Amino acid sequence: MPEGDTVLQTATRLHEALAGQMLTRSDLRVPRFATADLTGRTVLDVTARGKHLLTRIEGGLTLHSHLRMDGSWRVYAPGERWRGGPGHQIRAVLANAEHTAVGYRLPVLELLRTSEESRAVGHLGPDLLGPDWNPGLALGRLLAAPERPLGEALLDQRNLAGIGNVYMCELCFLARVTPWLPVGALPDGVLPRLVTLAERLLHANRDRPTRTTTITSELRTPPGPPVRATVRVQERLYVYGRARRPCLRCGAPIRLADQDDRPAYWCPGCQSGPTPQGVSGDTS
Ligand SMILES: [Zn+2]
């Protein structure tokens, strides 16, 4: 699932391909905007806001898209084969003389007035990768609902924008608590450290082709038992996608359960806090 870092990389690629150039083709394949024609207009910039993409176009227009679970934007050279998926999955085509940007499986695609962008992204909390990043504000929003499970609170883009399921699981692991522990029950000082760590992880990954949370020891949180297992270089993540495989720290099999219909991975040896009913065996 795309997280803030992936969306930012996409925005950078689209910006490089489209910004400053006039559109020679525009094709929005959603019923509401199927007749919109943007050809002849210059793309001003493409930017990410949390997990939303904003393509600003001359004339006060913004094309707002969201990748959600498996959407993507690809950029092609003239004559290059489009490989992002079957044609019926294409939702948008924007082209200039040198590049063609194709949006696949975009669950959100809408044309807005740039002055009304806040309708689309105004609900977002401070953006972990944005110029307005404000850890104090993010912390305040997280603490405003102390009874909420940590995993759910981290995924709520109104608290802080940019964390998806991978980072949620990895952050809970690094904080040594399960995703079901209420925010208000975290040990003193852990939540501020978690917010700082989230920002550092997303920044460390913003230019990497593959996301990793095991990059450097400085990214590990200080409290808790020392690292016993040597982190193997090929392991990019501590818990996400590693169900039943041994924890890189303690060797216990990583567990998997649903949290609000999303997969949540955790290590029963390293992380304390509540876990869902019915997840008892190591083979779950
Ligand atoms: Zn462990």
Side-chain angles (χ1 to χ4, degrees):
M1 181 176 103
E3 314 228 358
D5 51 357
T6 310
V7 178
L8 187 70
Q9 288 174 14
T10 301
T12 305
R13 264 203 314 279
L14 287 174
H15 184 86
E16 285 166 5
L18 300 176
Q21 302 210 51
M22 194 182 75
L23 291 171
T24 54
R25 178 179 176 189
S26 94
D27 184 1
L28 305 182
R29 300 184 186 172
V30 292
R32 205 171 135 212
F33 300 104
T35 59
D37 185 4
L38 301 168
T39 56
R41 295 176 192 249
T42 298
V43 172
L44 304 175
D45 73 292
V46 184
T47 187
R49 183 79 181 81
K51 296 194 275 178
H52 298 254
L53 281 161
L54 302 171
T55 303
R56 287 153 186 157
I57 299 158
E58 184 186 23
L61 294 174
T62 295
L63 185 66
H64 166 226
S65 59
H66 195 294
L67 309 178
R68 209 155 279 164
M69 294 307 275
D70 68 339
S72 68
W73 277 96
R74 306 289 183 93
V75 174
Y76 301 105
E80 190 182 345
R81 243 188 89 207
W82 297 359
R83 298 163 182 276
H88 70 268
Q89 295 183 348
I90 295 173
R91 293 291 169 270
V93 181
L94 296 176
N96 54 40
E98 291 166 32
H99 299 104
T100 302
V102 183
Y104 292 91
R105 301 172 298 274
L106 304 172
V108 175
L109 183 72
E110 59 175 348
L111 205 51
L112 305 163
R113 299 210 169 278
T114 302
S115 58
E116 292 173 0
E117 275 177 8
S118 65
R119 269 191 9 225
V121 294
H123 65 286
L124 294 177
D127 186 339
L128 284 154
L129 289 171
D132 67 334
W133 170 239
N134 179 335
L137 184 59
L139 197 58
R141 293 199 180 182
L142 287 165
L143 287 169
E147 72 291 345
R148 267 187 110 178
L150 177 63
E152 194 185 298
L154 288 173
L155 287 171
D156 188 336
Q157 306 294 304
R158 292 171 298 185
N159 290 333
L160 68 181
I163 295 180
N165 231 33
V166 178
Y167 283 121
M168 182 279 281
C169 295
E170 296 295 298
L171 285 165
C172 289
F173 175 83
L174 290 164
R176 310 283 173 86
V177 296
T178 68
W180 295 273
L181 188 73
V183 169
L186 281 163
D188 273 354
V190 170
L191 196 61
R193 266 207 305 277
L194 201 57
V195 168
T196 306
L197 189 62
E199 193 251 348
R200 289 168 66 193
L201 277 180
L202 261 78
H203 269 277
N205 280 291
R206 59 185 291 171
D207 300 321
R208 283 169 185 270
T210 45
R211 181 180 302 128
T212 174
T213 58
T214 57
I215 344 167
T216 61
S217 56
E218 66 166 284
L219 289 172
R220 293 182 197 124
T221 43
V227 176
R228 268 179 282 156
T230 307
V231 174
R232 284 167 290 159
V233 277
Q234 69 268 31
E235 296 289 356
R236 296 182 297 106
L237 301 170
Y238 285 110
V239 291
Y240 190 88
R242 301 192 64 246
R244 294 187 296 276
R245 289 162 63 197
C247 171
L248 299 176
R249 270 209 177 100
C250 74
I254 300 300
R255 291 188 188 172
L256 167 64
D258 272 358
Q259 185 174 35
D260 290 338
D261 293 329
R262 297 174 187 242
Y265 297 84
W266 80 100
C267 169
C270 294
Q271 294 170 259
S272 58
T275 53
Q277 296 288 316
V279 184
S280 49
D282 287 343
T283 53
S284 58

